């Protein structure tokens, strides 16, 4: 449909030394993120011997919308195309996938829908919101500044610079997105741009809680109790009990996709636990294939 999606690859001295069959982690970025915006998470990955890439979604990374199609949570069909592109480039590699914030929801939906058809061997859902139909309804009251900052960022990502194509497709939805004052107002207004009639229909096809039981690979889920975006009340502590290959880790502190580590925050503990989990899964895979 002429829409633009892309893949940003980590390019540093350690990565350039990796063999073609080195394991690969595919990153699904935040709600308004990009490859550049994922650097804090990416920077330590090469030292684990993994190659890293970021799946950049429609409207992100400075790319304009070529048509009136975008999704706040990302699109599974686009993700499948990106996965196949990586497989074609590195056919002998082992694949992991990590989702950050909104990307964690896309991760679970993708893994659940694709199930046995997915080539992903291990995954990490980092700071998820779980049930997206309910997760952000009270955020504007609990943390109004957080909600306001994210709402403005959403408008900047999709509305600014794409006004003509969006307005032409649906002027009502466009004006509603422009006038939205909260995350939920924007999300509900933008549902038509993802190909759905309304927010309820969007959630039917994109709520990760509708698909998590289809996951077939080892999956780490990480949340912090002091997260101001994906709040503690949203955490589904029963997920690990319902799904045998899902491990839930809940920390007291860490905020939202922060988990800074070191004296001056020079690294992310979130990267460490993610890569250690993935590396164990990769080594198990190697032992099984010997």
């Amino acid at each position: 449909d002429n829409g633009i999606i892309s893949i940003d690859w980590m390019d540093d001295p350690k990565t350039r030394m990796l063999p073609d069959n080195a394991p690969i982690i595919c990153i699904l970025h935040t709600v308004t993120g990009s490859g550049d915006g994922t650097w804090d998470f990416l920077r330590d990955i090469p030292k684990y011997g993994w190659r890293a890439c970021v799946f950049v979604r429609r409207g992100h990374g400075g790319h304009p919308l070529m048509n009136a199609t975008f999704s706040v949570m990302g699109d599974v069909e686009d993700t499948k195309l990106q996965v196949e592109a990586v497989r074609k480039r590195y056919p002998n590699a082992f694949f992991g996938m990590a989702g950050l914030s909104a990307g964690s929801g896309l991760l679970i939906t993708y893994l659940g829908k694709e199930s046995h058809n997915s080539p992903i061997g291990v995954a990490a859902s980092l700071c998820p919101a779980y049930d997206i139909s309910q997760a952000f309804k009270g955020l504007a009251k609990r943390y109004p500044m957080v909600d306001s900052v994210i709402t403005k960022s959403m408008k900047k990502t999709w509305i600014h610079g794409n006004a003509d194509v969006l307005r032409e497709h649906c002027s009502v939805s466009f004006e509603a997105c422009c006038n939205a004052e909260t995350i939920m107002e924007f999300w509900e207004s933008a549902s038509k741009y993802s190909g759905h009639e309304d927010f309820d229909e969007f959630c039917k096809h994109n709520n990760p809680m509708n698909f998590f039981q289809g996951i077939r690979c080892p999956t780490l889920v990480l949340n912090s109790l002091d997260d101001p975006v994906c709040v503690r009340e949203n955490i589904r502590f029963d997920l690990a009990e319902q799904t045998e290959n899902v491990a839930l880790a809940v920390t007291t502190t860490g905020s939202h996709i922060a988990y800074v580590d070191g004296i001056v925050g020079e690294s992310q503990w979130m990267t460490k636990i993610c890569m250690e989990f993935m590396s164990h899964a990769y080594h198990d895979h190697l032992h099984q294939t010997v």
Side-chain angles (χ1 to χ4, degrees):
D1 64 0
N2 295 321
I4 298 176
I5 56 176
S6 61
I7 302 172
D8 286 355
W9 291 92
M10 190 81 170
D11 185 21
D12 64 284
K14 289 184 179 179
T15 297
R16 295 183 202 120
M17 295 293 292
L18 293 173
D20 285 350
N21 65 346
I24 298 172
I25 177 172
C26 307
I27 312 298
L28 305 179
H29 59 67
T30 61
V31 66
T32 59
S34 63
D36 290 343
T38 314
W39 170 247
D40 285 344
F41 181 76
L42 289 171
R43 58 187 173 186
D44 288 334
I45 290 176
K47 74 179 184 182
Y48 292 91
W50 286 61
R51 180 176 281 106
C53 64
V54 180
F55 289 179
V56 182
R57 304 196 288 271
R58 296 175 186 237
H60 297 260
H63 299 306
L65 292 175
M66 304 306 292
N67 52 50
T69 303
F70 72 87
S71 174
V72 171
M73 291 295 292
D75 183 81
V76 168
E77 294 303 314
D78 286 348
T79 303
K80 288 167 61 176
L81 291 174
Q82 290 165 313
V83 168
E84 286 307 307
V86 173
R87 289 183 72 183
K88 185 175 181 180
R89 183 170 179 175
Y90 294 101
N92 298 317
F94 175 84
F95 297 98
M97 182 177 282
L100 309 179
S101 190
S104 68
L106 175 59
L107 168 79
I108 298 301
T109 302
Y110 162 76
L111 292 176
K113 284 187 174 183
E114 287 298 285
S115 195
H116 293 291
N117 294 323
S118 169
I120 304 302
V122 62
S125 176
L126 306 173
C127 303
Y130 297 86
D131 184 355
I132 62 172
S133 69
Q134 304 295 322
F136 301 105
K137 286 187 174 180
L139 187 64
K141 291 184 178 180
R142 289 192 298 266
Y143 299 102
M145 185 173 295
V146 171
D147 191 272
S148 177
V149 168
I150 295 175
T151 303
K152 291 177 180 177
S153 182
M154 293 165 85
K155 292 181 182 181
K156 181 179 179 181
T157 298
W158 293 296
I159 304 302
H160 301 171
N162 297 301
D164 291 341
V165 66
L166 295 176
R167 185 188 291 111
E168 182 179 355
H169 178 75
C170 183
S171 60
V172 174
S173 294
F174 175 76
E175 294 300 330
C177 286
C178 290
N179 295 327
E181 295 184 353
T182 67
I183 292 173
M184 283 306 303
E185 288 180 5
F186 183 93
W187 204 341
E188 290 170 353
S189 302
S191 294
K192 284 187 180 296
Y193 293 126
S194 60
H196 302 291
E197 187 62 30
D198 53 30
F199 183 66
D200 289 339
E201 185 184 345
F202 175 88
C203 289
K204 178 181 178 180
H205 296 280
N206 295 278
N207 193 335
M209 293 300 94
N210 294 339
F211 305 104
F212 74 90
Q213 291 182 328
I215 298 173
R216 292 295 177 265
C217 67
T219 301
L220 171 68
V221 181
L222 176 67
N223 283 100
S224 175
L225 294 178
D226 68 345
D227 191 326
V229 180
C230 298
V231 296
R232 62 196 299 169
E233 289 82 5
N234 295 344
I235 299 174
R236 286 281 302 273
F237 289 95
D238 60 319
L239 279 187
E241 299 174 0
Q242 294 187 36
T243 314
E244 62 180 4
N245 50 358
V246 170
L248 174 63
V250 179
T251 61
T252 304
T253 59
S255 191
H256 186 64
I257 55 169
Y259 286 98
V260 292
D261 200 8
I263 297 176
V264 292
E266 63 269 20
S267 62
Q268 271 195 337
W269 180 80
M270 185 171 68
T271 306
K272 179 180 179 181
I273 188 175
C274 173
M275 295 313 300
E276 288 181 352
F277 182 84
M278 292 202 171
S279 294
H280 280 296
Y282 174 55
H283 291 143
D284 285 346
H285 166 76
L286 292 178
H287 291 148
Q288 293 172 10
T289 55
V290 170

